[in-house]
Amino acid sequence: MGRRTQAERTRATTGELVEAAGLLFGRDGYAATSIDDVARAGGLTKGAVYHHFSGKADLFRAVFVRQQERLTTVIAEAALHPATGADGVEGGEDADLLAAVRRGARAFLLACAEPETRRIVLLDGPAVLGWDEVRRIEYGHTLRLLREGLAAAADAGRIGPGDVTVRAHLLFGALCEGAMLVARADDPGAALTEVLARADALIASLASRP
């Protein structure tokens, strides 16, 4: 194999830094993680980190985007492949586009209950990046996927008429609030069970009626 180009080396180093930072941010939180910590974890100097990122907030943004990419993959897999796990979807609904939205929503909530995702996406993300930037990033990933799922369900006549973008934002807001409730609950397991049930009911309520 030929030698890697400078661009390829840069991408590889950046990816390694984001992975190392993601583990630290997810475990210890943004405030408790320093650039020095990330440099040591990535086997680089502090100067090398600053060569790729303007500062800790810039690095955190890259980690947040990576989390959104991973969430998008998890959601899409759950929506498209109902047989991949016990998701509470009744038999015979595999081809139902609204059921696919429900599976994706459940996958989102379950992923947000994981410590690393909870810390980066729910707790530190809005504080570090600001609400507007968080939503802008989400609109290119998880929120976009939800909107596309609702649009497909609307086109198939599974939900009644109405503005799909408005519905997507309202539903996404509810899911995020539910995930935040789980993240801050004294008993996360019990809270997750209740939030999953309420999310299922909320999405089911969108179904068009004969």
Side-chain angles (χ1 to χ4, degrees):
M1 294 180 65
R3 296 177 61 184
R4 291 191 298 178
T5 65
Q6 180 60 42
E8 289 171 336
R9 289 195 295 272
T10 297
R11 284 195 297 271
T13 301
T14 299
E16 291 166 2
L17 282 172
V18 171
E19 283 296 321
L23 291 173
L24 293 174
F25 287 141
R27 186 189 68 192
D28 303 327
Y30 179 82
T33 301
S34 68
I35 290 292
D36 288 313
D37 294 331
V38 176
R40 281 193 297 270
L44 297 170
T45 65
K46 184 176 181 178
V49 179
Y50 279 111
H51 177 72
H52 295 279
F53 299 95
S54 62
K56 191 167 75 164
D58 187 35
L59 177 56
F60 180 85
R61 185 187 186 282
V63 169
F64 186 89
V65 170
R66 178 70 63 87
Q67 282 290 327
Q68 285 291 310
E69 292 169 348
R70 289 175 173 170
L71 276 172
T72 300
T73 299
V74 167
I75 293 167
E77 284 293 317
L80 294 173
H81 302 105
T84 57
D87 57 15
V89 178
E90 299 85 352
E93 287 191 322
D94 290 359
D96 188 328
L97 291 170
L98 192 58
V101 172
R102 186 161 65 251
R103 289 193 298 270
R106 290 175 64 86
F108 172 79
L109 290 168
L110 288 169
C112 285
E114 297 171 0
E116 182 177 326
T117 303
R118 179 173 68 240
R119 169 63 65 180
I120 293 169
V121 173
L122 299 176
L123 302 179
D124 284 345
V128 176
L129 302 176
W131 190 90
D132 287 340
E133 180 64 5
V134 164
R135 272 296 185 264
R136 192 188 73 78
I137 296 170
E138 289 171 336
Y139 198 72
H141 296 89
T142 48
L143 180 51
R144 171 187 57 79
L145 201 60
L146 176 59
R147 189 198 178 284
E148 289 175 355
L150 288 177
D155 289 343
R158 285 295 293 121
I159 62 177
D163 190 304
V164 171
T165 297
V166 170
R167 288 181 175 186
H169 275 263
L170 290 173
L171 178 56
F172 190 72
L175 292 173
C176 289
E177 283 298 313
M180 186 68 76
L181 183 64
V182 173
R184 298 187 182 280
D186 293 332
D187 185 348
L192 178 60
T193 298
E194 181 63 18
V195 168
L196 286 170
R198 293 308 97 211
D200 281 351
L202 179 60
I203 294 170
S205 73
L206 296 174
S208 58
R209 297 292 186 262

